Amino acid sequence: MKMNLAKYALAILVSFSFSSCENDFLDRAPDLNLDEDKVFTIFENAQRYHADLYSHLIDGFNRLGNFQPVPMSSASDESDSYMGYHGSQTLNFGSYDGVDNQIFNYYAGIRKANVFLSKKEIIPFPSEEVRSSMLGEVYFLKAFYFSEIIKRYGGMPIVTKILIPGEELNYARDSYKDCVDNILADCDTAIGLLPVLRPDNELGRATKGAAMALKARSLLYAASPLWDLEFSNTDKWQLAADAAKAVLDLQDENGSMAYELYDNGNGADDYERLFFTRRNNGNREIIFHKHQPSIDFNNQQINVWAPKGDGFEGAGAVSPTQNFVDLFEMNNGMYWDEAGSGYDANNPYLNRDPRFYKIILYNGAMWQDVEVETFVSPDLDESLNGNHRKILAEYTSTGYYVRKYLPEEVKTKTTVRAYHNWIYFRLAEMYLNYAEALNEAQGPGPEVYDALNTVRWRSGVVAIPAGLTKEQLRDRIWNERAIELSFEEHRWWDARRWKKGAEWFGGEMYEMYIVKDDLGALTYTRKSFETRVYRDYMNLYPIPISEMNKNPLFQQNSGW
């Protein structure tokens, strides 16, 4: 494969970009030109090279765009961004070329992993334990980066050697199945090398559970309808279920459960706080996350998501759609539009799933001691609009803001800081992966219900109705994933692997248009604000034109 990363000679240590003020293992490596012997025969240099492998991890808080970038959710039915220059708007209208293109970034990470593995025999590891741990991390990150590539583009070149200028660099695309097999092999190797537990000064480093979770997710994706032609084995769903169950059952070196849901008996409050609480502070739900220091309101991860308007002063760039809000059940477990659900069109936010109040900021919600106002005046007099929807084009486009990921104590004009975790794998996903795979493999059964309800009960949500068919339970699982894993980039990929993108992401996107009359009465109306484009071929991204021009052996994905 002809890639830009080939220009990096092995003898050069590039300027390392992974940094932290908290942990030794994240110290920056020196920006020096060193020959390979000095890099890898001096352990401290090899250790810094190894740490830089983590620099290719990208969080999803602000994935798309440059100025005030927004999350992937704004290109799905979860949310919208009113800023047209964001990549999310480009995706919404069916133009994908180069958007969310991380080919170079992830292949660069894979190349570094291959370099490290090629030098493992000359690295003077201080102990066999350190050697196993560091090599396990390399195999995991190599597999993780490759999984990020193939879930976007399908099968891509499997690169296991160091690409050096002067060699043949044009690689044909490998099949998706071969790519998955390669990832699974690296995961199995990592699982055999990595420890279950890490000390507090190694937070963010890969563990055995992280490699097992990646294996479980990779098998789940491979079993999904998008890849039926390449994975036709009848046991594929069972394999995915078994891999997820292995994570649920994993014990640490002391015989205790390695992971547990973050549940202190506080219902949905615990759901909210799990994203701000580290493992060393009692959050054993996190399996793998991007390690970062605490941040304040000025950080884009907070500011871009925070509501806009009096009392908040965020950018308000992420607006949940009514399409997404409609996925929240009532607190009795019924959908809002089911007969007998208790839904009140004049009070639509009453008696919803408890997680609704921890994920969505809606008209009338209290946030940082301020009441959210997203109504408009009956005569469209802008001065009379709610304080958080003064200008329709520049505030929320849907009548909502996001609450999830926003620590309430972090405010503008203060120095308060909080941890803000971007989580790649957590235990709740493994429960839902297990439920989905087992339902597909065996149909409805008590273990499927138990897995789903375990996740729901943590947040005080009622149990899934009993007696559902396999198809009905599948719909419930999809919906549970949409809510529990909202804004964590799962729905973007779930829609593709289930070939539901055209249904979920195409067509009309709705806002809740709220009008407040002269007497203070509110009228709630679902109103289309945008028609989005999604075709079935968009289940895979196009190979960027820039990459196609480099490599004549590449074949473009169908439809592009």
Side-chain angles (χ1 to χ4, degrees):
M1 177 183 179
K2 188 175 181 181
M3 294 180 289
N4 291 337
L5 60 96
K7 70 184 180 181
Y8 292 105
L10 175 60
I12 302 298
L13 264 180
V14 296
S15 178
F16 288 69
S17 59
F18 199 97
S19 64
S20 170
C21 59
E22 297 184 336
N23 295 320
D24 291 342
F25 94 98
L26 297 179
D27 284 350
R28 291 172 65 90
D31 183 12
L32 300 173
N33 293 340
L34 301 174
D35 64 41
E36 64 182 75
D37 286 341
K38 288 187 178 179
V39 173
F40 294 106
T41 60
I42 299 173
F43 179 69
E44 289 75 13
N45 287 338
Q47 190 177 37
R48 289 181 172 89
Y49 187 98
H50 179 273
D52 188 60
L53 287 169
Y54 284 88
S55 69
H56 299 272
L57 291 173
I58 299 176
D59 70 56
F61 290 120
N62 308 96
R63 183 182 291 279
L64 300 174
N66 295 314
F67 176 69
Q68 293 184 332
V70 296
M72 192 65 72
S73 65
S74 291
S76 78
D77 62 348
E78 291 174 289
S79 64
D80 180 62
S81 171
Y82 63 83
M83 300 175 186
Y85 47 79
H86 285 308
S88 62
Q89 293 285 13
T90 302
L91 295 175
N92 290 340
F93 295 108
S95 179
Y96 278 61
D97 186 61
V99 181
D100 189 33
N101 176 22
Q102 295 294 331
I103 290 178
F104 174 79
N105 174 56
Y106 290 129
Y107 268 122
I110 291 169
R111 182 180 191 280
K112 290 178 185 177
N114 287 335
V115 168
F116 191 91
L117 293 174
S118 74
K119 302 302 174 184
K120 63 184 178 182
E121 300 305 328
I122 66 171
I123 299 173
F125 296 101
S127 67
E128 184 59 31
E129 180 181 7
V130 171
R131 181 181 188 276
S132 293
S133 178
M134 292 179 71
L135 291 178
E137 291 171 78
V138 175
Y139 281 107
F140 166 76
L141 290 170
K142 184 167 171 273
F144 182 82
Y145 294 147
F146 199 34
S147 73
E148 289 294 305
I149 292 172
I150 69 168
K151 75 181 183 183
R152 287 166 169 77
Y153 303 103
M156 290 289 281
I158 300 170
V159 181
T160 57
K161 57 179 280 189
I162 303 163
L163 302 179
I164 298 175
E167 294 184 355
E168 175 55 51
L169 300 177
N170 289 333
Y171 281 57
R173 298 176 65 183
D174 289 292
S175 71
Y176 182 81
K177 184 179 188 306
D178 286 345
C179 293
V180 171
D181 289 342
N182 178 265
I183 289 168
L184 296 178
D186 281 344
C187 285
D188 285 338
T189 301
I191 290 167
L193 294 170
L194 287 166
V196 177
L197 296 178
R198 291 281 187 186
D200 288 351
N201 69 334
E202 293 184 356
L203 288 176
R205 290 178 67 165
T207 61
K208 187 184 297 288
M212 294 171 68
L214 176 57
K215 178 179 180 178
R217 186 190 290 175
S218 297
L219 285 167
L220 183 80
Y221 279 37
S224 301
L226 181 61
W227 300 109
D228 277 348
L229 294 180
E230 294 201 39
F231 290 88
S232 57
N233 50 310
T234 57
D235 63 345
K236 60 183 181 179
W237 285 110
Q238 189 62 53
L239 291 172
D242 293 344
K245 187 65 160 59
V247 182
L248 301 178
D249 293 341
L250 181 64
Q251 296 182 350
D252 64 25
E253 289 85 352
N254 301 316
S256 301
M257 300 306 297
Y259 306 106
E260 58 186 20
L261 294 181
Y262 185 65
D263 186 355
N264 296 315
N266 300 314
D269 286 345
D270 289 332
Y271 174 82
E272 179 177 38
R273 295 306 304 177
L274 80 88
F275 300 100
F276 315 128
T277 307
R278 296 282 174 90
R279 185 178 177 92
N280 58 334
N281 291 322
N283 185 358
R284 295 169 59 86
E285 181 168 343
I286 296 176
I287 299 173
F288 185 60
H289 72 285
K290 183 174 175 64
H291 188 74
Q292 300 178 101
S294 60
I295 59 176
D296 60 21
F297 184 85
N298 292 322
N299 190 288
Q300 279 197 131
Q301 293 180 8
I302 298 292
N303 181 269
V304 168
W305 291 62
K308 186 180 181 73
D310 294 349
F312 301 137
E313 309 308 332
V318 189
S319 303
T321 67
Q322 187 62 42
N323 306 54
F324 174 64
V325 169
D326 284 343
L327 298 179
F328 285 90
E329 300 168 4
M330 305 300 292
N331 64 2
N332 57 14
M334 300 179 71
Y335 292 125
W336 70 274
D337 55 355
E338 283 187 77
S341 70
Y343 176 79
D344 183 354
N346 296 316
N347 197 356
Y349 311 126
L350 181 67
N351 297 329
R352 304 300 288 264
D353 179 324
R355 290 168 294 188
F356 172 78
Y357 307 102
K358 305 300 182 182
I359 296 174
I360 303 295
L361 289 174
Y362 54 93
N363 187 72
M366 295 299 298
W367 177 250
Q368 297 181 341
D369 300 321
V370 177
E371 183 174 348
V372 177
E373 297 180 349
T374 58
F375 57 79
V376 299
S377 69
D379 56 0
L380 299 183
D381 182 343
E382 188 176 293
S383 66
L384 299 178
N385 287 355
N387 286 328
H388 310 109
R389 202 170 186 175
K390 283 292 185 185
I391 305 172
L392 293 181
E394 295 184 8
Y395 283 56
T396 172
S397 55
T398 65
Y400 303 105
Y401 293 102
V402 178
R403 174 168 176 160
K404 183 173 178 175
Y405 291 135
L406 295 179
E408 192 165 6
E409 65 272 21
V410 177
K411 304 178 182 181
T412 182
K413 300 176 183 177
T414 72
T415 58
V416 175
R417 301 173 68 88
Y419 289 116
H420 198 232
N421 299 323
W422 181 262
I423 301 172
Y424 300 105
F425 299 101
R426 62 184 177 96
L427 194 63
E429 182 204 341
M430 295 299 112
Y431 274 111
L432 297 180
N433 290 359
Y434 178 62
E436 177 184 337
L438 197 62
N439 184 56
E440 297 302 321
Q442 301 180 17
E447 289 180 301
V448 178
Y449 279 92
D450 286 348
L452 283 172
N453 289 330
T454 296
V455 173
R456 291 164 67 89
W457 287 336
R458 181 264 298 279
S459 296
V461 185
V462 299
I464 290 284
L468 300 179
T469 66
K470 178 179 179 178
E471 292 71 25
Q472 290 171 329
L473 195 52
R474 179 189 297 148
D475 287 340
R476 285 283 182 167
I477 291 168
W478 286 342
N479 208 76
E480 186 62 25
R481 291 180 67 89
I483 301 305
E484 174 68 24
L485 305 177
S486 58
F487 302 105
E488 298 178 48
E489 289 195 354
H490 287 279
R491 189 156 174 87
W492 182 248
W493 306 113
D494 283 350
R496 285 169 161 74
R497 65 186 180 86
W498 274 102
K499 304 202 299 190
K500 302 289 286 185
E503 177 183 340
W504 294 351
F505 301 163
E508 301 299 320
M509 291 292 130
Y510 291 90
E511 63 176 300
M512 182 61 87
Y513 193 71
I514 308 168
V515 176
K516 185 176 184 178
D517 67 20
D518 294 339
L519 300 178
L522 298 173
T523 301
Y524 298 85
T525 305
R526 285 177 178 77
K527 179 180 177 183
S528 174
F529 68 87
E530 185 172 82
T531 302
R532 294 184 179 174
V533 175
Y534 195 102
R535 304 288 183 263
D536 287 338
Y537 63 81
M538 297 175 185
N539 290 330
L540 291 177
Y541 289 11
I543 306 296
I545 294 174
S546 59
E547 295 294 333
M548 293 292 294
N549 290 338
K550 295 174 191 173
N551 189 342
L553 298 182
F554 270 178
Q555 290 186 333
Q556 185 58 275
N557 284 325
S558 178
W560 294 103

